[in-house]
Amino acid sequence: MEKERRAAEILAACCQGAAAAASPEAVLARMGEANRRKALEQVPGLQGLLCCVFPYFNRLDGGNLSLYARGMDYHLAARKRLDRACEALEKEFPGFQFRGYADVSPFPEVYACAWAGLGAIGKNGLLLTRRWGSYVFCGMIATDLPLEGGEEPQKCPDCGLCLRTCPGGALSQDGRLDQSRCLSALTQQKGELTLEQRRLIGRSGMAWGCDVCQRVCPANRGPEQTKIAEFLENIRSSLTAEELEGLTQREFRQKYGDRAFAWRGVVPLRRNLALLSQEKDSL
């Protein structure tokens, strides 16, 4: 298992989190035919997975932005670090190919990280790690370097706190998520919302995302803080309607394009802030 240990060390150093190696068979078996075909086309001869977690800032109370969206957009931060890791792995293991993924991936990244032993899977579908709780982003590198490892993922302790406290009742005992009732999903949704969905956002106090199921989770009691600079610098906890007033889509992207809350554009955020204001006025 020497190559597995060395490859994981390289990835962990680049992501400043935790990493582990695993064989890909179990992960591929959980994928649909289209995603499985895409994965094998992107990395011909796929024989190994290197999975990692990027811990993000988790200590700021208050605000109307989800904790994951308060620092740099994780797609940008993870992409840079995964590219660096792939370069280092290619030098360490010449002749093999390495391809990094962060969210935009044919792989079920949470399951892959759990299969590699990096954490359990919560009822909310998030990875629960020992050091950082669920305040982590998942990433992975697929390779044709033969790697071993992996075991059936652990499940959460099943305390039921996330199910009972979810504002929209979006979680279920079998781990399925109802997107139409998930506050985090609704704050990102474009187009018309039902009256119930609009009220849910208005009462939440959140302009983007929702951290309720994470805040109540026992796995998130006393998590370590991240050491990743991109998630520690220029922390923004809130947005206001005044900051977005008059901005075109282009101006909004120029101003906030390096933030995770920017990918849907300015319209959903304006709507959410208006709903929060209406709820405040009604009270």
Side-chain angles (χ1 to χ4, degrees), residues 164-200:
R164 295 195 295 272
T165 57
C166 176
L171 303 177
S172 62
Q173 189 65 34
D174 60 5
R176 295 182 182 180
L177 174 68
D178 184 348
Q179 295 277 352
S180 70
R181 302 179 67 85
C182 173
L183 175 61
S184 183
L186 292 176
T187 61
Q188 303 175 46
Q189 183 173 312
K190 291 185 176 182
E192 290 296 319
L193 300 177
T194 67
L195 179 59
E196 181 182 0
Q197 291 170 335
R198 293 170 65 86
R199 285 175 174 169
L200 181 60

Side-chain angles (χ1 to χ4, degrees), residues 60 68 149:
L60 198 61
Y68 83 88

Side-chain angles (χ1 to χ4, degrees), residues 144-252:
D144 56 354
L145 174 69
L147 296 174
E148 298 179 3
E151 59 185 14
E152 189 60 29
Q154 298 178 352
K155 297 181 179 179
C156 72
D158 200 19
C159 68
L161 283 172
C162 60
L163 274 68
R164 295 195 295 272
T165 57
C166 176
L171 303 177
S172 62
Q173 189 65 34
D174 60 5
R176 295 182 182 180
L177 174 68
D178 184 348
Q179 295 277 352
S180 70
R181 302 179 67 85
C182 173
L183 175 61
S184 183
L186 292 176
T187 61
Q188 303 175 46
Q189 183 173 312
K190 291 185 176 182
E192 290 296 319
L193 300 177
T194 67
L195 179 59
E196 181 182 0
Q197 291 170 335
R198 293 170 65 86
R199 285 175 174 169
L200 181 60
I201 293 175
R203 295 167 182 165
S204 72
M206 299 298 291
W208 183 268
C210 175
D211 291 324
V212 171
C213 66
Q214 297 195 84
R215 289 184 184 277
V216 302
C217 180
N220 289 328
R221 292 173 184 165
E224 289 185 27
Q225 186 55 271
T226 182
K227 296 180 181 179
I228 299 176
E230 296 94 321
F231 300 147
L232 288 170
E233 300 169 351
N234 301 316
I235 294 295
R236 166 179 281 271
S237 61
S238 294
L239 272 178
T240 67
E242 290 72 23
E243 290 174 303
L244 303 183
E245 185 176 359
L247 291 181
T248 64
Q249 287 285 14
R250 182 174 182 179
E251 290 169 338
F252 173 75

Side-chain angles (χ1 to χ4, degrees), residues 21-275:
S23 60
E25 290 80 15
V27 177
L28 290 170
R30 291 182 63 90
M31 298 161 58
E33 179 59 33
N35 279 336
R36 189 160 52 246
R37 183 170 58 251
K38 183 184 295 185
L40 294 174
E41 288 174 352
Q42 292 176 350
V43 183
L46 175 66
Q47 294 192 71
L49 298 176
L50 289 164
C51 303
C52 64
V53 293
F54 300 87
Y56 59 85
F57 189 67
N58 58 37
R59 300 284 171 83
L60 198 61
D61 292 326
N64 62 20
L65 297 174
S66 184
L67 289 174
Y68 83 88
R70 297 187 177 190
M72 178 184 284
D73 183 348
Y74 63 97
H75 297 88
L76 301 177
R79 180 76 269 163
K80 178 180 66 174
R81 290 171 177 272
L82 287 171
D83 286 346
R84 189 185 308 158
C86 287
E87 292 178 4
L89 288 164
E90 288 170 356
K91 291 181 180 179
E92 183 76 14
F93 304 100
F96 293 98
Q97 59 177 322
F98 298 88
R99 178 168 180 151
Y101 297 93
D103 189 37
V104 182
S105 162
F107 296 96
E109 294 175 2
V110 171
Y111 178 83
C113 286
W115 166 252
L118 294 176
I121 299 178
K123 286 289 191 295
N124 52 10
L126 301 179
L127 188 73
L128 310 179
T129 71
R130 290 186 177 181
R131 293 179 62 185
W132 305 285
S134 61
Y135 299 120
V136 296
F137 302 122
C138 293
M140 57 187 301
I141 293 175
T143 177
D144 56 354
L145 174 69
L147 296 174
E148 298 179 3
E151 59 185 14
E152 189 60 29
Q154 298 178 352
K155 297 181 179 179
C156 72
D158 200 19
C159 68
L161 283 172
C162 60
L163 274 68
R164 295 195 295 272
T165 57
C166 176
L171 303 177
S172 62
Q173 189 65 34
D174 60 5
R176 295 182 182 180
L177 174 68
D178 184 348
Q179 295 277 352
S180 70
R181 302 179 67 85
C182 173
L183 175 61
S184 183
L186 292 176
T187 61
Q188 303 175 46
Q189 183 173 312
K190 291 185 176 182
E192 290 296 319
L193 300 177
T194 67
L195 179 59
E196 181 182 0
Q197 291 170 335
R198 293 170 65 86
R199 285 175 174 169
L200 181 60
I201 293 175
R203 295 167 182 165
S204 72
M206 299 298 291
W208 183 268
C210 175
D211 291 324
V212 171
C213 66
Q214 297 195 84
R215 289 184 184 277
V216 302
C217 180
N220 289 328
R221 292 173 184 165
E224 289 185 27
Q225 186 55 271
T226 182
K227 296 180 181 179
I228 299 176
E230 296 94 321
F231 300 147
L232 288 170
E233 300 169 351
N234 301 316
I235 294 295
R236 166 179 281 271
S237 61
S238 294
L239 272 178
T240 67
E242 290 72 23
E243 290 174 303
L244 303 183
E245 185 176 359
L247 291 181
T248 64
Q249 287 285 14
R250 182 174 182 179
E251 290 169 338
F252 173 75
R253 301 271 186 199
Q254 289 175 338
K255 188 173 183 179
Y256 299 109
D258 64 343
R259 303 283 177 160
F261 59 77
W263 77 282
R264 278 295 199 181
V266 71
V267 175
L269 286 163
R270 281 188 177 138
R271 176 202 62 205
N272 299 341
L273 289 166
L275 292 172

